[in-house]
Amino acid sequence: MSGVPFHSPEPASEHGLPPLRTAMLFFALYMAFAWISFVHPMRGLNITPWNPQAALAVALLFVKAGAWPVVWMAGACAEAIIGTERLPPAAVIVSTAAMTAGSATIAAGLRRWLGSDFPVIARQSALVFLALAAGGALLAAFLRAGALWAVGVVPFERIPAVVHRAAIGDGVGLVVTLPVLLALASAKLRSLTHSMLRTPECWVIASVTVAAVVSVFHQAPQDQFKYFYVLFVPVVWASTRFGAIGAIWAAALVQALLIAALQFGHYLPLTVFEFQLLVAAFTCTGVLLGAIVDEKQAAEEALRKSLRLAAAGDMAAALAHELNQPLTAMGTYARASQVLARRLGPHDETARGMLEIADKLALEAARAGDMVNRLRRFFRERATDLQVTPLTDLLREAMRSQSARARALRVQLSGTEGDPLPSVLVDPVQISVVLRNLLANAIEAASDPRRPPDAPRWVRLQAHRQGTEVVVTLLDSGEGLTPEQARDIFDAPASSKPGGMGIGLAISRAIVEAHAGRLWAEPGAGGRFHFTIPFDTGAVHDE
């Protein structure tokens, strides 16, 4: 599971308010988080050692920059309803305004420096996130302390203590809770989480975490800090085994258990803040270690992919060398057959049949030779012969090339189009290789002999515009893919097909990416493969 890049939903740049449903859900979660985390507030103020609602606010503002009025209202209601210290209305207004400003600043920093790749696995991005969380929490704490001082709630000499406690509460909430929230919001991270939860080792780590927390808090209060380092063990274990996603959930579990222990125990507020500093320390350690593990795994997978593509290039070169001569001979024999057929005269039915067959043979021999040579050049030189090509023609030709095979296997092959498709700047031979490979795989999946005889057998080729890209989709009635298969199928070490070499999809992805597109598979019932081809709206025309 390690090594799979983290991607969250694309952050929105619009500045309007979120939909009412989203705002109501946010408000309810914010109030719930504020109530759960209201443990040992700072005397005279509603500043607690752990503020997960700060992470919730940043998450909403990261996705919807204009949601700050909703965040401010939720903060004000939490202060007024849940807080035990009844602050003056002016203090509530300025305090929550300062917290909202701090959250908006952190969200803007995340969008600016990490963008849609947050949360991420790279060490540099992990460091940027931790720096933004720490710096943003400190900024929000200064703003809050300054606002409370301005309305006369906090004396000047108490500002450092307020900044210290507020920065710890917000910082721990951001570092521990924000990655969890975005992991839940991302389909890919949810898939990684489900995969992790299905492994026995995950539950062993969770059990060790519970045992570690119990062992620490079973000690006398004065000795608990001495044994707190034991909690590093499950977090480090989860990080090295599952990467950053393991570190995120292990730290969240420790935090939840710690809050429960502190809630039911008798601890001074200062002790709670000290415990939270230790939570922040091992969370940062786990995230950085997980990022290193994931980065290493990603580098290893990229190396394996490169070696596999290099092997495919060598194979293409060898095949081109071996096939050029027989393909040339086939073309020569086909042209000779054409000459002989024409000599028999135009009225001879046998001659007309021979001429038609010879024409097709010559065309297919030339096409095969061109395809092999283009693939050899692509793998050796990454060469693409770009031409403005009607995409509809490529789709129709790919379907024509596979129609006989589909009929032989009793698979219904169909194609649909949305809006009129534009011409695209591509290497038509290479894109044809991608289409034929995907169609051939879909036909094999739909006609798998292991399926019931009465199971549906169909393959659909679809294409539509999406922004400045054309999205081509292959659907089939086969068994489909699990999330793990959808993730690994393009880098599989070997094909599951008898006699297959397991490089067809890897080659297809390399070709699509060379055209600045993307190729991916969706898990679920039935096969679902998609790839995109960008087009320049100023350079191409609609068909």
Side-chain angles (χ1 to χ4, degrees):
M1 187 165 78
S2 302
V4 179
F6 284 23
H7 296 285
S8 68
E10 189 79 16
S13 58
E14 63 266 28
H15 292 276
L17 289 172
L20 179 61
R21 193 176 187 179
T22 303
M24 292 177 64
L25 177 61
F26 169 82
F27 192 90
L29 287 175
Y30 193 99
M31 298 296 286
F33 279 3
W35 177 74
I36 292 170
S37 63
F38 201 79
V39 180
H40 295 296
M42 189 175 181
R43 189 178 61 185
L45 301 168
N46 292 319
I47 297 175
T48 56
W50 176 49
N51 300 328
Q53 62 270 30
L56 187 65
V58 171
L60 179 63
L61 292 168
F62 175 73
V63 176
K64 193 79 171 176
W68 60 267
V70 177
V71 173
W72 176 75
M73 285 189 290
C77 290
E79 286 273 2
I81 298 173
I82 297 173
T84 56
E85 302 294 337
R86 298 305 174 198
L87 301 176
V92 171
I93 292 172
V94 297
S95 175
T96 52
M99 290 188 292
T100 302
S103 298
T105 302
I106 298 170
L110 293 175
R111 281 196 306 273
R112 169 65 177 82
W113 283 292
L114 296 180
S116 61
D117 291 333
F118 176 71
V120 288
I121 62 168
R123 280 173 294 175
Q124 181 178 355
S125 299
L127 287 170
V128 170
F129 162 64
L130 294 175
L132 285 171
L138 191 60
L139 172 64
F142 269 112
L143 291 174
R144 188 174 187 181
L148 292 173
W149 170 76
V151 295
V153 173
V154 173
F156 184 80
E157 62 273 11
R158 204 179 173 201
I159 286 179
V162 173
V163 170
H164 175 240
R165 305 291 179 84
I168 291 175
D170 288 353
V172 173
L174 288 169
V175 170
V176 176
T177 312
L178 185 55
V180 172
L181 293 174
L182 292 175
L184 293 173
S186 166
K188 179 167 285 189
L189 295 185
R190 288 198 303 271
S191 174
L192 287 177
T193 301
H194 292 157
S195 299
M196 179 179 68
L197 292 176
R198 285 195 291 268
T199 62
E201 191 172 357
C202 168
W203 296 102
V204 173
I205 294 173
S207 301
V208 170
T209 304
V210 174
V213 172
V214 170
S215 67
V216 168
F217 285 92
H218 186 68
Q219 308 297 322
Q222 65 271 18
D223 295 329
Q224 288 172 357
F225 282 103
K226 299 178 184 178
Y227 294 95
F228 204 83
Y229 65 86
V230 173
L231 298 181
F232 278 81
V233 175
V235 175
V236 170
W237 185 0
S239 304
T240 54
R241 175 60 180 86
F242 298 108
I245 193 72
I248 288 171
W249 286 107
L253 177 59
V254 172
Q255 176 69 92
L257 293 171
L258 177 63
I259 290 298
L262 295 175
Q263 180 74 35
F264 295 107
H266 301 285
Y267 293 92
L268 296 174
L270 183 59
T271 303
V272 177
F273 278 99
E274 290 172 345
F275 273 124
Q276 289 298 83
L277 274 178
L278 292 172
V279 171
F282 68 65
T283 301
C284 293
T285 302
V287 169
L288 288 173
L289 181 59
I292 293 171
V293 170
D294 281 344
E295 211 171 43
K296 176 178 176 291
Q297 288 287 88
E300 290 175 353
E301 289 182 7
L303 178 60
R304 284 195 295 269
K305 180 179 178 181
S306 297
L307 292 175
R308 195 161 183 79
L309 291 178
D314 292 338
M315 187 182 302
L319 287 173
H321 177 74
E322 295 296 331
L323 292 177
N324 268 336
Q325 186 173 349
L327 287 173
T328 302
M330 287 173 59
T332 301
Y333 294 145
R335 285 190 292 273
S337 299
Q338 290 170 328
V339 172
L340 291 174
R342 290 191 182 98
R343 285 181 181 177
L344 293 175
H347 302 295
D348 190 313
E349 291 186 10
T350 303
R352 286 200 301 270
M354 288 178 56
L355 186 60
E356 183 180 351
I357 294 172
D359 289 343
K360 291 180 178 179
L361 179 60
L363 179 64
E364 293 301 326
R367 189 197 306 274
D370 191 25
M371 190 174 296
V372 170
N373 284 319
R374 291 279 189 91
L375 284 177
R376 180 182 62 177
R377 287 186 60 219
F378 173 74
F379 283 108
R380 285 294 176 87
E381 309 166 17
R382 280 297 189 268
T384 52
D385 183 11
L386 298 179
Q387 303 172 22
V388 176
T389 306
L391 183 57
T392 298
D393 290 352
L394 291 179
L395 300 177
R396 288 172 181 165
E397 174 57 28
M399 290 185 63
R400 185 202 64 77
S401 69
Q402 300 296 320
S403 59
R405 186 158 176 259
R407 284 195 301 272
L409 294 171
R410 296 184 292 112
V411 175
Q412 181 184 0
L413 181 60
S414 62
T416 59
E417 299 174 18
D419 299 330
L421 298 178
S423 295
V424 289
L425 188 63
V426 296
D427 186 317
V429 173
Q430 292 179 7
I431 296 300
S432 294
V433 169
V434 175
L435 287 168
R436 291 185 182 204
N437 185 35
L438 293 178
L439 277 169
N441 289 345
I443 291 170
E444 286 200 14
S447 61
D448 190 337
R450 294 171 294 183
R451 302 181 65 214
D454 59 344
R457 296 187 174 198
W458 54 262
V459 172
R460 281 198 287 270
L461 177 60
Q462 302 175 346
H464 67 277
R465 288 189 183 196
Q466 185 172 296
T468 58
E469 294 179 325
V470 176
V471 182
V472 180
T473 299
L474 262 296
L475 305 174
D476 66 66
S477 60
E479 291 298 323
L481 302 172
T482 66
E484 293 79 9
Q485 289 172 328
R487 185 188 68 219
D488 300 333
I489 193 168
F490 297 98
D491 302 314
S495 173
S496 61
K497 295 184 240 175
M501 294 174 291
I503 60 174
L505 288 174
I507 290 173
S508 297
R509 173 173 271 186
I511 290 174
V512 171
E513 289 178 348
H515 285 77
R518 296 170 291 122
L519 171 60
W520 72 97
E522 281 188 33
R528 287 177 285 177
F529 285 80
H530 313 266
F531 74 88
T532 63
I533 297 293
F535 64 89
D536 184 352
T537 55
V540 298
H541 58 277
D542 290 347
E543 298 174 29

